[in-house]
Amino acid sequence: MASSTPASARVRRNRWIAGGIAVAVLAAAAVTTGVLVTGGDADPEASASASATTPSPTPHRPSPVATPTPAPVPTFDRAARSIDDPDSIWVVVDKLRPLQPMDYAPGDLVSVPVPHTWEPMLRREASDAVVAMFAAARSEAGLALASNSAYRSYAAQQNVYVGDDELTARPGFSEHQTGLSIDIGPESGTCVLEVCFADTPEGKWLRDNAYRFGFLLRYPADKQPVTGYQFEPWHFRYIGVELAAEMRTTGVTTLEEFFGLPAAPAYQ
């Protein structure tokens, strides 16, 4: 019996040591993980408290991008100049729209220093444009142009008018009286004041380039029902570069159509 006592003591001692080791291991695990272990379950209040103190990440929102304001599209102002005032370079003269007064004479006529049949006179702005256009025809294409007729007064138009309303204008109804129109031909004299001028190198160059200098081929071949005049490939009217370019861009070939005016095939 004496020998069994120490053995029993050793068993109790080993069990006590094993239990102590288990408690130590559990305590160390609790310290390492930051979780208090009681009966194998975590404390729910401690977990909720830890979650409450951890801030949630704020979602990133892109900064708003300002929508650019669209640039306004420029539009041509058809009311920028008068089409009734004889002093306006946009004045429209046809068989329904005589000059007012009918014996109007421009106040700024000058001689045009270009080759000519009869000495031409035009309003100063138109004269400067003719000089530039003739110089460009020579420098760009080697063409020599000449003036065949320019400004004609009311009295001069009385002498020119022969009663054929499709070929010549009555006094007071002529664009030549505005000081803004000129009849142009080759300096050589080929096809002067004839429809065949349209097929000459000079006629083709003017058809394609006159707008650059502010001129309009006033009486196109297909617009006699609108203008009231037969095709005159030699007759050019100064309207300014701005209007000439706009008409070229839009493809409108008569002043009547561009400004929404009635066709003028005949006098009333």
Side-chain angles (χ1 to χ4, degrees):
M1 296 296 292
S3 61
S4 63
T5 301
S8 299
R10 282 196 301 270
V11 171
R12 287 196 299 270
R13 184 188 62 182
N14 290 343
R15 289 178 178 174
W16 180 84
I17 292 172
I21 292 173
V23 171
V25 170
L26 290 174
V31 171
T32 302
T33 59
V35 178
L36 179 60
V37 179
T38 304
D41 294 329
D43 185 351
E45 293 184 0
S47 299
S49 175
S51 299
T53 58
T54 303
S56 300
T58 302
H60 175 70
R61 295 182 181 179
S63 301
V65 178
T67 302
T69 302
V73 178
T75 57
F76 187 85
D77 184 3
R78 301 186 186 214
R81 297 176 184 265
S82 173
I83 60 174
D84 302 311
D85 182 354
D87 286 330
S88 170
I89 63 171
W90 288 5
V91 62
V92 180
V93 182
D94 59 28
K95 293 177 180 180
L96 299 180
R97 296 175 58 85
L99 286 163
Q100 298 293 341
M102 292 188 70
D103 61 351
Y104 166 79
D108 59 346
L109 290 171
V110 297
S111 295
V112 188
V114 295
H116 55 268
T117 304
W118 293 279
E119 182 177 6
M121 297 187 71
L122 288 173
R123 293 183 58 183
R124 182 175 299 279
E125 184 177 343
S127 173
D128 292 344
V130 167
V131 171
M133 184 166 65
F134 279 34
R138 185 179 293 276
S139 64
E140 295 175 9
L143 301 174
L145 302 176
S147 168
N148 302 129
S149 183
Y151 168 71
R152 293 199 293 263
S153 67
Y154 182 91
Q157 193 66 23
Q158 285 179 313
N159 295 328
V160 170
Y161 178 66
V162 294
D164 189 335
D165 288 334
E166 293 184 358
L167 296 178
T168 57
R170 298 176 185 181
F173 293 84
S174 173
E175 279 206 332
H176 284 282
Q177 194 176 325
T178 66
L180 298 170
S181 291
I182 183 171
D183 295 337
I184 304 173
E187 193 172 8
S188 65
T190 303
C191 290
V192 169
L193 302 179
E194 297 181 30
V195 173
C196 61
F197 175 65
D199 298 320
T200 65
E202 293 85 355
K204 292 178 180 178
W205 188 90
L206 285 169
R207 177 198 64 201
D208 296 336
N209 294 279
Y211 78 95
R212 295 164 45 200
F213 305 90
F215 285 92
L216 172 70
L217 197 163
R218 182 65 175 98
Y219 304 125
D222 59 342
K223 294 298 182 178
Q224 184 173 347
V226 176
T227 66
Y229 294 100
Q230 295 180 3
F231 181 35
E232 294 189 2
W234 60 83
H235 182 105
F236 288 85
R237 158 69 191 278
Y238 183 73
I239 56 177
V241 173
E242 183 182 20
L243 176 54
E246 179 69 10
M247 293 184 69
R248 178 83 173 190
T249 299
T250 59
V252 181
T253 58
T254 70
L255 294 175
E256 287 82 2
E257 291 171 305
F258 186 82
F259 288 110
L261 298 172
Y267 297 98
Q268 287 184 340

